Amino acid sequence: MKFLWLSVFTLFISSSFEEDGKRFKLYKRQWDLDGKTVQNEVTVGFTSVMSKRHCASLCTTNSVCISFFFNTESHACKLVDKQINSSDTLVDEIHSLYYETNICCRYVPPPTPTGIPRLAVAQGSVITMFNYNGTSVLTINTQVRAMFYHPFQERLYLGTNPLTSVKLNGTDERTHGSTYTGTLMALEIDMYDDNVYMSVSNYLVERLDPDGVLKNIANNVDVYKPRQSRLDTVNSVLYWADEALQTVKSVTSDGASTVTTLFTSGKVVWGMDIDFNERKIYWCAKSTGDVWVFDMSTATNTQLVPNGGSVSGSCSGLRLYNDYIYLIYYRLNYIEKRHKNGSLAAKILEGQISASTTKYFAIVE
């Protein structure tokens, strides 16, 4: 039996709670499937990496149970109570359904047919979105250095001035807040409350709330040239790379704490992302293209790239996805997919992007 899922939306958010000694935010949401027809009796359960037993216990003989990662923080159980044709396609469409039991529910991306996420690449005055197989599916004629995909809204946020967002087909453009001073170099969004965190070239780290109110959350003396950032939604902490100060810093997302310097590298830190489960910051240097990992538990930096070979290109972006490092370089005409030990896993979009243009990218899950 099939039914038409109507456009219904519910959202439940509460304070974080502790499970297996690790704090999480509760999240329940019934997703707007936009009129898609889906099979009856389908449930997708999200549970923490510390509670894989839930995944095992919830899977039945008629179910397909798949564990996969969102920046190594979450597992998911894909539970199919009845046989469904093309179940991988289905889970791609309903990846944000909710699971109502008293366990931790967290967003995780759906598995992709190729294991590679969709990618939005900004080069020059054009943004191009590529599908899983590398096919160009959207072109937006605007120049930005920052992008962020909001999976719950299914919208791509663009670092224009003022901030804008569009659906993945390029329609329904919306403006968020008013104009700001400077160039937006990076942005992060708290997917639970829709606050936007902005790294602005004018020595600012700011928060834009859903009502359009802009607030500076880090003292100007602690910020010089903020670049890529990462938000810890569990502990409400924003981390960012600072190119000029050659470091990674952090502050609580409400701006109430003092700014913390995690390390000073002696290199121009540009791209960065964090594996919060392993407490490791992966970062790349702008001019040299080196890739490093900083262990927050031991306060040590280890160089991953080059590991025996040279690096060609200036790094302008780094993101973690499904236990891999994705990197984009000024002088390379492809995106690198690397293992966490630094070894090269694949070259993505080779020849489809320019080798002589500064480029920025976002992962579109």
Side-chain angles (χ1 to χ4, degrees), residues 34-36 42 52 65 74 88 163 229 273 277 289 295 307 321:
D34 224 11
K36 294 183 178 71
V42 176
K52 287 186 283 187
C65 183
S74 304
D88 284 342
L163 189 71
S229 56
D273 204 345
N277 188 52
D295 190 325
N307 50 0
Y321 183 83

Side-chain angles (χ1 to χ4, degrees), residues 67-322:
S67 294
F68 51 98
F69 290 100
F70 173 54
N71 283 339
T72 71
E73 293 179 287
S74 304
H75 280 68
C77 304
K78 183 181 74 173
L79 304 178
V80 183
D81 298 319
K82 292 185 177 180
Q83 185 63 43
I84 295 176
N85 294 327
S86 303
S87 59
D88 284 342
T89 301
L90 180 65
V91 78
D92 187 33
E93 294 177 351
I94 62 173
H95 59 270
S96 293
L97 279 173
Y98 69 107
Y99 185 72
E100 289 195 47
T101 61
N102 189 26
I103 62 173
C104 172
C105 297
R106 293 175 59 81
Y107 170 78
V108 288
T112 70
T114 62
I116 296 171
R118 294 173 293 184
L119 296 165
V121 180
Q123 46 187 346
S125 58
V126 177
I127 301 169
T128 307
M129 197 177 84
F130 296 92
N131 211 341
Y132 308 112
N133 59 4
T135 303
S136 173
V137 294
L138 175 66
T139 298
I140 303 173
N141 293 313
T142 190
Q143 185 170 2
V144 299
R145 298 186 179 187
M147 297 173 289
F148 185 92
Y149 176 61
H150 195 314
F152 297 162
Q153 296 179 2
E154 295 188 335
R155 300 183 67 84
L156 183 64
Y157 280 70
L158 308 174
T160 52
N161 195 352
L163 189 71
T164 55
S165 69
V166 295
K167 289 184 177 180
L168 294 186
N169 61 4
T171 64
D172 190 25
E173 181 175 330
R174 300 178 186 177
T175 299
H176 307 275
S178 55
T179 57
Y180 51 87
T181 302
T183 301
L184 187 57
M185 304 301 297
L187 61 95
E188 279 278 299
I189 301 178
D190 188 331
M191 295 180 288
Y192 298 94
D193 61 20
D194 295 334
N195 280 318
V196 180
Y197 296 86
M198 304 164 57
S199 295
V200 184
S201 61
N202 194 32
Y203 319 117
L204 296 172
V205 174
E206 299 179 300
R207 184 186 68 201
L208 177 70
D209 70 23
D211 295 324
V213 178
L214 198 61
K215 176 185 177 181
N216 186 6
I217 63 170
N219 292 328
N220 292 1
V221 295
D222 295 311
V223 182
Y224 193 3
K225 291 185 178 180
R227 296 301 182 249
Q228 271 195 291
S229 56
R230 183 76 160 87
L231 181 66
D232 179 353
T233 57
V234 173
N235 297 300
S236 300
V237 176
L238 179 72
Y239 296 79
W240 71 90
D242 196 301
E243 174 190 356
L245 299 179
Q246 302 180 339
T247 185
V248 170
K249 298 195 173 195
S250 69
V251 71
T252 54
S253 57
D254 59 2
S257 73
T258 57
V259 173
T260 298
T261 298
L262 283 91
F263 65 85
T264 300
S265 67
K267 293 180 176 289
V268 180
V269 185
W270 187 286
M272 62 86 70
D273 204 345
I274 303 178
D275 183 333
F276 290 110
N277 188 52
E278 294 183 355
R279 290 183 50 77
K280 291 181 178 179
I281 300 174
Y282 292 81
W283 59 275
C284 64
K286 177 186 175 184
S287 54
T288 61
D290 300 350
V291 181
W292 297 70
V293 58
F294 177 75
D295 190 325
M296 289 188 277
S297 299
T298 61
T300 55
N301 257 315
T302 302
Q303 187 171 359
L304 301 177
V305 182
N307 50 0
S310 61
V311 177
S312 58
S314 173
C315 180
S316 57
L318 179 153
R319 276 294 179 244
L320 300 177
Y321 183 83
N322 282 0

